[in-house]
Amino acid sequence: MDKRKVKNIAVFASGRGSNFAAIVKAVKAGEIKANLALLVCDNSKAGVLKLAQQAGVKSVLAKSEEEISRHLEQNKIDLIILAGFMRILSPDFVRRHKNRILNIHPSLLPAFKGAHAIRDAFDYGVKVTGVTVHFVDEKMDHGPVILQEPAKVSASDTLQSLEAKIHKIEHKLYPQAIRSYLEGKLKIRGRRVK
Ligand code: GRF
Protein backbone atom coordinates (compact mmCIF):
# COMPACT_ATOMS: atom_id res chain seq x y z
CA MET A 1 0.00 0.00 0.00
CA ASP A 2 1.10 3.53 -0.78
CA LYS A 3 1.84 5.13 2.60
CA ARG A 4 0.91 8.69 1.62
CA LYS A 5 -2.48 8.50 0.00
CA VAL A 6 -5.75 8.48 1.91
CA LYS A 7 -6.88 4.87 2.08
CA ASN A 8 -10.19 3.68 0.69
CA ILE A 9 -12.11 1.53 3.10
CA ALA A 10 -15.13 -0.70 2.55
CA VAL A 11 -17.52 -1.92 5.22
CA PHE A 12 -19.24 -5.28 4.66
CA ALA A 13 -22.53 -5.64 6.59
CA SER A 14 -25.76 -7.61 6.40
CA GLY A 15 -27.90 -6.24 9.23
CA ARG A 16 -28.93 -3.16 11.12
CA GLY A 17 -25.56 -1.44 10.80
CA SER A 18 -24.88 0.11 14.20
CA ASN A 19 -21.15 -0.54 13.75
CA PHE A 20 -21.32 0.94 10.26
CA ALA A 21 -22.93 4.04 11.80
CA ALA A 22 -20.16 4.27 14.41
CA ILE A 23 -17.54 4.06 11.66
CA VAL A 24 -19.31 6.74 9.60
CA LYS A 25 -19.33 8.98 12.67
CA ALA A 26 -15.62 8.41 13.33
CA VAL A 27 -14.76 9.16 9.68
CA LYS A 28 -16.83 12.34 9.73
CA ALA A 29 -15.20 13.42 12.99
CA GLY A 30 -11.75 12.88 11.47
CA GLU A 31 -10.94 10.16 14.03
CA ILE A 32 -10.59 7.69 11.18
CA LYS A 33 -8.61 9.36 8.41
CA ALA A 34 -9.83 7.42 5.40
CA ASN A 35 -12.32 7.59 2.60
CA LEU A 36 -15.33 5.39 3.40
CA ALA A 37 -15.73 4.46 -0.23
CA LEU A 38 -18.16 1.57 -0.14
CA LEU A 39 -20.71 -0.45 1.78
CA VAL A 40 -20.99 -4.03 0.58
CA CYS A 41 -24.27 -5.63 1.64
CA ASP A 42 -25.72 -9.04 0.78
CA ASN A 43 -29.21 -8.46 2.12
CA SER A 44 -31.64 -6.15 0.34
CA LYS A 45 -33.71 -5.75 3.54
CA ALA A 46 -30.81 -4.73 5.77
CA GLY A 47 -31.20 -1.51 7.72
CA VAL A 48 -27.58 -0.67 7.00
CA LEU A 49 -28.51 0.18 3.37
CA LYS A 50 -30.69 3.02 4.57
CA LEU A 51 -27.97 4.27 6.90
CA ALA A 52 -25.52 4.35 3.99
CA GLN A 53 -27.96 6.30 1.89
CA GLN A 54 -28.51 8.82 4.69
CA ALA A 55 -24.76 9.18 5.20
CA GLY A 56 -24.07 9.55 1.50
CA VAL A 57 -21.95 6.39 1.36
CA LYS A 58 -22.07 4.40 -1.86
CA SER A 59 -23.54 0.95 -1.36
CA VAL A 60 -23.75 -2.18 -3.47
CA LEU A 61 -25.81 -5.31 -3.06
CA ALA A 62 -23.57 -8.21 -3.91
CA LYS A 63 -24.21 -11.90 -3.49
CA SER A 64 -21.13 -13.58 -4.98
CA GLU A 65 -17.45 -13.10 -4.23
CA GLU A 66 -16.89 -12.42 -7.91
CA GLU A 67 -19.24 -9.45 -7.74
CA ILE A 68 -17.71 -8.31 -4.47
CA SER A 69 -14.18 -8.49 -5.91
CA ARG A 70 -15.22 -6.46 -8.91
CA HIS A 71 -16.62 -3.71 -6.67
CA LEU A 72 -13.48 -3.74 -4.53
CA GLU A 73 -11.29 -3.28 -7.59
CA GLN A 74 -13.49 -0.60 -9.13
CA ASN A 75 -13.41 1.38 -5.90
CA LYS A 76 -9.71 0.72 -5.23
CA ILE A 77 -10.38 -0.58 -1.73
CA ASP A 78 -7.36 -0.87 0.59
CA LEU A 79 -9.06 -2.17 3.72
CA ILE A 80 -12.13 -4.36 4.27
CA ILE A 81 -14.07 -3.98 7.52
CA LEU A 82 -16.51 -6.74 8.36
CA ALA A 83 -19.32 -5.44 10.57
CA GLY A 84 -21.96 -8.09 10.95
CA PHE A 85 -21.44 -9.58 7.48
CA MET A 86 -23.26 -12.90 7.67
CA ARG A 87 -21.42 -14.64 4.86
CA ILE A 88 -18.23 -16.64 5.29
CA LEU A 89 -15.53 -15.46 2.91
CA SER A 90 -13.70 -18.19 1.03
CA PRO A 91 -10.08 -19.04 1.91
CA ASP A 92 -9.10 -17.85 -1.56
CA PHE A 93 -10.72 -14.43 -1.02
CA VAL A 94 -9.09 -14.09 2.40
CA ARG A 95 -5.66 -15.02 0.99
CA ARG A 96 -6.02 -12.44 -1.77
CA HIS A 97 -6.64 -9.76 0.85
CA LYS A 98 -4.24 -11.09 3.45
CA ASN A 99 -3.97 -8.84 6.53
CA ARG A 100 -6.36 -6.36 4.94
CA ILE A 101 -9.63 -7.66 6.42
CA LEU A 102 -10.76 -6.81 9.96
CA ASN A 103 -13.67 -8.30 11.87
CA ILE A 104 -15.48 -7.48 15.09
CA HIS A 105 -16.90 -10.25 17.22
CA PRO A 106 -19.14 -9.81 20.28
CA SER A 107 -17.27 -12.08 22.69
CA LEU A 108 -13.78 -12.54 24.05
CA LEU A 109 -12.44 -14.93 21.42
CA PRO A 110 -11.71 -17.80 21.33
CA ALA A 111 -14.82 -18.15 23.53
CA PHE A 112 -18.23 -18.17 21.87
CA LYS A 113 -17.42 -18.15 18.17
CA GLY A 114 -20.30 -18.06 15.71
CA ALA A 115 -23.39 -16.03 14.95
CA HIS A 116 -25.00 -15.93 18.43
CA ALA A 117 -22.06 -15.05 20.64
CA ILE A 118 -23.84 -12.68 23.02
CA ARG A 119 -26.74 -15.06 23.63
CA ASP A 120 -24.40 -18.06 23.93
CA ALA A 121 -22.27 -16.28 26.53
CA PHE A 122 -25.37 -15.13 28.43
CA ASP A 123 -26.92 -18.62 28.41
CA TYR A 124 -23.63 -20.12 29.55
CA GLY A 125 -23.76 -17.90 32.59
CA VAL A 126 -20.35 -16.29 32.20
CA LYS A 127 -19.53 -13.40 34.53
CA VAL A 128 -17.34 -11.69 31.96
CA THR A 129 -17.64 -11.53 28.20
CA GLY A 130 -16.66 -8.76 25.80
CA VAL A 131 -15.63 -7.70 22.34
CA THR A 132 -12.79 -8.73 20.03
CA VAL A 133 -11.45 -6.99 16.93
CA HIS A 134 -9.21 -9.26 14.90
CA PHE A 135 -7.62 -9.81 11.51
CA VAL A 136 -9.51 -12.29 9.39
CA ASP A 137 -7.78 -15.49 8.37
CA GLU A 138 -9.07 -18.64 6.68
CA LYS A 139 -10.83 -19.94 9.82
CA MET A 140 -13.98 -18.41 11.28
CA ASP A 141 -13.51 -15.95 14.19
CA HIS A 142 -9.89 -17.00 14.42
CA GLY A 143 -7.29 -14.52 13.09
CA PRO A 144 -4.76 -12.52 15.17
CA VAL A 145 -6.37 -10.38 17.88
CA ILE A 146 -6.00 -6.60 17.57
CA LEU A 147 -8.05 -5.37 20.53
CA GLN A 148 -10.23 -6.92 23.19
CA GLU A 149 -12.33 -5.33 25.88
CA PRO A 150 -14.24 -7.14 28.62
CA ALA A 151 -17.82 -6.53 29.71
CA LYS A 152 -19.06 -7.70 33.11
CA VAL A 153 -22.28 -9.64 33.25
CA SER A 154 -24.10 -8.65 36.43
CA ALA A 155 -26.86 -10.57 38.18
CA SER A 156 -29.41 -8.01 37.02
CA ASP A 157 -28.40 -8.21 33.35
CA THR A 158 -30.90 -9.49 30.82
CA LEU A 159 -29.90 -10.59 27.34
CA GLN A 160 -31.06 -7.19 26.09
CA SER A 161 -29.04 -5.20 28.61
CA LEU A 162 -25.96 -7.31 27.88
CA GLU A 163 -26.43 -6.72 24.16
CA ALA A 164 -26.58 -2.99 24.80
CA LYS A 165 -23.36 -3.12 26.85
CA ILE A 166 -21.56 -5.10 24.16
CA HIS A 167 -22.66 -2.82 21.33
CA LYS A 168 -21.57 0.26 23.26
CA ILE A 169 -18.08 -1.24 23.57
CA GLU A 170 -18.07 -2.24 19.90
CA HIS A 171 -18.85 1.27 18.72
CA LYS A 172 -15.81 2.58 20.57
CA LEU A 173 -13.40 -0.32 19.97
CA TYR A 174 -13.85 -0.78 16.22
CA PRO A 175 -13.04 2.82 15.23
CA GLN A 176 -10.03 2.63 17.56
CA ALA A 177 -8.71 -0.54 15.87
CA ILE A 178 -9.35 0.84 12.38
CA ARG A 179 -7.49 3.98 13.28
CA SER A 180 -4.46 2.03 14.55
CA TYR A 181 -4.46 -0.02 11.37
CA LEU A 182 -4.57 3.04 9.13
CA GLU A 183 -1.82 4.73 11.08
CA GLY A 184 0.36 1.71 10.32
CA LYS A 185 0.69 0.93 14.02
CA LEU A 186 -0.25 -2.76 13.84
CA LYS A 187 2.52 -5.30 13.36
CA ILE A 188 1.52 -8.93 13.04
CA ARG A 189 3.96 -11.52 14.45
CA GLY A 190 2.33 -14.92 14.13
CA ARG A 191 -0.77 -14.75 16.29
CA ARG A 192 0.39 -11.64 18.08
CA VAL A 193 -0.47 -8.12 17.01
CA LYS A 194 1.60 -5.32 18.48
C1 GRF B 1 -22.16 -6.97 15.99
O1 GRF B 1 -22.49 -7.43 17.26
C2 GRF B 1 -20.84 -7.55 15.55
O2 GRF B 1 -19.97 -7.81 16.60
C3 GRF B 1 -21.25 -8.85 14.89
O3 GRF B 1 -22.45 -8.55 14.24
C4 GRF B 1 -23.12 -7.50 14.92
C5 GRF B 1 -23.47 -6.46 13.91
O4 GRF B 1 -24.30 -5.46 14.46
N1 GRF B 1 -20.20 -9.34 14.03
P1 GRF B 1 -24.61 -4.15 13.67
O5 GRF B 1 -25.26 -4.56 12.34
O6 GRF B 1 -23.31 -3.43 13.43
O7 GRF B 1 -25.55 -3.36 14.52
Side-chain angles (χ1 to χ4, degrees):
M1 268 194 284
D2 177 350
K3 277 224 156 36
R4 282 157 303 161
K5 78 167 170 96
V6 174
K7 304 284 190 282
N8 290 324
I9 62 179
V11 174
F12 287 24
S14 311
R16 65 179 186 149
S18 70
N19 281 282
F20 171 79
I23 293 164
V24 167
K25 201 170 159 205
V27 170
K28 291 203 165 147
E31 287 156 24
I32 294 176
K33 291 186 182 54
N35 173 32
L36 179 43
L38 192 65
L39 168 74
V40 174
C41 183
D42 63 344
N43 168 13
S44 61
K45 297 196 172 74
V48 71
L49 286 168
K50 193 153 188 209
L51 293 180
Q53 197 190 5
Q54 285 163 355
V57 175
K58 178 174 172 183
S59 63
V60 292
L61 252 186
K63 296 277 185 197
S64 72
E65 282 189 2
E66 263 180 23
E67 276 178 86
I68 293 175
S69 295
R70 190 160 39 78
H71 290 299
L72 295 180
E73 273 167 40
Q74 279 169 359
N75 292 279
K76 300 192 179 3
I77 298 301
D78 300 298
L79 174 66
I80 296 167
I81 296 161
L82 305 184
F85 192 57
M86 299 314 285
R87 168 181 295 257
I88 299 201
L89 297 167
S90 72
D92 183 52
F93 184 94
V94 173
R95 273 194 292 272
R96 272 189 282 126
H97 302 280
K98 193 170 161 50
N99 300 340
R100 287 192 290 124
I101 313 177
L102 309 186
N103 184 41
I104 189 158
H105 185 76
S107 75
L108 294 177
L109 288 173
F112 305 111
K113 295 180 181 186
H116 310 289
I118 306 176
R119 194 202 309 154
D120 292 347
F122 184 77
D123 289 348
Y124 197 87
V126 295
K127 304 296 186 205
V128 179
T129 179
V131 175
T132 303
V133 180
H134 64 95
F135 283 104
V136 171
D137 68 6
E138 287 93 335
K139 295 186 202 154
M140 188 185 67
D141 298 333
H142 176 267
V145 173
I146 299 170
L147 285 176
Q148 282 187 311
E149 189 167 315
K152 278 194 176 165
V153 186
S154 62
S156 60
D157 265 319
T158 59
L159 176 58
Q160 288 69 31
S161 68
L162 181 60
E163 281 170 349
K165 270 188 205 173
I166 295 281
H167 292 312
K168 193 167 174 210
I169 295 173
E170 288 187 327
H171 302 158
K172 182 191 67 170
L173 209 64
Y174 216 179
Q176 214 175 308
I178 296 164
R179 184 184 175 141
S180 299
Y181 178 96
L182 291 167
E183 288 175 350
K185 285 186 177 159
L186 306 180
K187 305 277 174 261
I188 308 177
R189 302 278 176 271
R191 279 213 54 87
R192 262 174 248 282
V193 180
K194 292 193 180 171

